[in-house]
Amino acid sequence: MEKFRWAYVGSGNIAKSTARSITKGKHAITAVYSRNSEKAKSFAAKYGAVAYGSFDELLKEGEFDCVYIATPHTSHVEYAVKAMQCGKPVLCEKPVGVTTADVDAMINTSKENNVYFCEAMWTWFSDVALEVKKWVAEKRIGEVKSVHIDYAFPGLMMSKNSRVLMPETAGGALLDIGIYPITYCYNLFGYPEKIACNGTLKNGIDIAETVVLGYGGFDCTLEMSLAKLKEGCKIVGTKGEINVPMFHMAMLANLKADGKKESFKGKTDYLTEFTRVAEEIRAGKTEPVYIPHSATRDCMRIMDECRKQMNLVYPFEK
């Protein structure tokens, strides 16, 4: 089978990371656009692609099977909508937008043009996360009693010009890393009955928050921070518990129940994500199985509510 061809929008760190991974498989990068033309040319040359001077030019002249958007999330909706209006499938980095309205614009465009649209949340393309979901669904640990997820990295040590720290690019802990534990809980348990968020704001962004998602008989407590380094997921049930040390990019999940221990090993990588997206597009799907549109929208709704409770408003929203 011929290699699946990707058009890259953006040439920053995430674009470089995914490119290194997918070009080892049955994928090729054939078109590149970036606002920084020199970086786009350098990126394109490395992978034998064509660099285009504008996004419109890429859409009109490029030869590719799907557009991959790896720009700051404030620009996602513009690129995704335009690509889908031209009938081009889209894989868009998380979060796909800044608000539920952004997500609605993309999902509606996907439906109106009968074209594939997917959020690039690699965690839920991973067999490790899918196995954890299976364990929970099969009640291997009995009824869930509590969930605690930590995800933090010392983002405050990054350059002040980093998109993660800039309110102009909707930086902060919630949209950049909080989306991982929120999406993890959502994919296991669905939309919560209650949402409570207590966060710390500094220099126009949220630098840390604790989010509690209530599910009737139990709570998911999620702690995100840009001031330390910590990660882990623990799901406690009436018969045992599940531990996923590096849940967002897990290679291992541990199950302990009824006095027995069990482990599942696998990979969370970009190659798996891109390959499964390519398979879905080639199968003629317009909505992904791994990350349904409703999941993308609901998780953004949760983050909208968290921002509301923290009174977090970005400069471009005022």
Side-chain angles (χ1 to χ4, degrees):
M1 183 177 291
E2 292 184 357
K3 289 191 174 185
F4 193 87
R5 303 166 303 172
W6 293 91
Y8 265 52
V9 181
S11 55
N13 290 334
I14 188 65
K16 292 174 183 176
S17 295
T18 57
R20 283 193 296 269
S21 179
I22 70 169
T23 49
K24 297 175 184 176
K26 297 179 180 180
H27 301 266
I29 300 169
T30 56
V32 177
Y33 166 71
S34 174
R35 288 177 299 176
N36 187 317
S37 60
E38 292 305 312
K39 286 185 177 180
K41 290 176 183 177
S42 175
F43 187 91
K46 184 173 183 178
Y47 294 102
V50 177
Y52 291 91
S54 71
F55 186 52
D56 288 339
E57 185 182 1
L58 179 148
L59 292 175
K60 183 178 180 180
E61 300 180 10
E63 297 182 355
F64 55 88
D65 301 304
C66 183
V67 174
Y68 169 58
I69 300 171
T71 59
H73 37 271
T74 45
S75 62
H76 286 175
V77 64
E78 175 188 355
Y79 291 125
V81 166
K82 183 173 285 189
M84 288 187 285
Q85 286 175 338
C86 293
K88 307 298 185 182
V90 169
L91 174 64
C92 184
E93 269 303 329
K94 60 82 201 165
V96 294
V98 178
T99 66
T100 304
D102 287 348
V103 178
D104 285 342
M106 289 180 265
I107 292 174
N108 291 339
T109 305
S110 169
K111 292 179 179 178
E112 290 165 2
N113 293 274
N114 197 35
V115 64
Y116 184 90
F117 170 70
C118 179
E119 180 178 24
M121 174 60 72
W122 70 340
T123 305
W124 284 98
F125 287 89
S126 162
D127 290 330
V128 179
L130 295 172
E131 185 68 13
V132 171
K133 186 172 184 176
K134 181 181 176 184
W135 285 346
V136 172
E138 292 177 347
K139 298 186 183 298
R140 295 286 301 277
I141 59 170
E143 299 295 330
V144 175
K145 300 301 293 180
S146 68
V147 180
H148 194 105
I149 304 181
D150 289 292
Y151 190 22
F153 82 102
L156 294 179
M157 297 178 65
M158 300 173 72
S159 165
K160 291 183 179 180
N161 294 325
S162 167
R163 63 165 183 82
V164 176
L165 301 180
M166 294 176 62
E168 293 80 9
T169 52
L174 181 68
L175 294 186
D176 194 64
I177 61 175
I179 188 172
Y180 284 109
I182 287 171
T183 301
Y184 210 89
C185 279
Y186 177 87
N187 275 275
L188 291 177
F189 310 114
Y191 199 83
E193 296 178 13
K194 69 174 183 178
I195 302 168
C197 177
N198 182 22
T200 301
L201 306 185
K202 184 178 181 180
N203 297 328
I205 63 169
D206 58 306
I207 61 171
E209 54 262 319
T210 298
V211 177
V212 178
L213 305 180
Y215 290 94
F218 65 94
D219 288 341
C220 289
T221 302
L222 320 174
E223 297 191 43
M224 294 79 79
S225 174
L226 296 177
K228 57 184 178 180
L229 182 62
K230 189 175 184 180
E231 181 175 352
C233 171
K234 184 176 183 179
I235 307 169
V236 177
T238 54
K239 293 167 52 179
E241 64 182 47
I242 297 168
N243 283 279
V244 192
M246 299 284 288
F247 78 95
H248 98 283
M249 54 179 294
M251 303 291 177
L252 173 70
N254 298 309
L255 169 68
K256 183 169 65 175
D258 296 324
K260 299 178 181 179
K261 295 181 180 180
E262 181 180 335
S263 295
F264 183 90
K265 295 181 180 180
K267 291 192 298 184
T268 301
D269 62 355
Y270 297 119
L271 180 57
T272 299
E273 174 188 14
F274 278 64
T275 297
R276 288 180 169 172
V277 166
E279 290 170 350
E280 291 190 329
I281 292 171
R282 281 176 164 162
K285 295 185 181 299
T286 58
E287 181 174 356
V289 172
Y290 297 92
I291 304 288
H293 291 165
S294 58
T296 297
R297 186 179 192 276
D298 281 348
C299 289
M300 185 57 71
R301 286 174 60 203
I302 293 170
M303 291 191 290
D304 276 356
E305 177 60 26
C306 289
R307 286 181 54 202
K308 181 180 178 181
Q309 293 185 21
M310 289 189 289
N311 194 27
L312 175 59
V313 180
Y314 301 116
F316 53 83
E317 297 176 314
K318 295 177 180 178

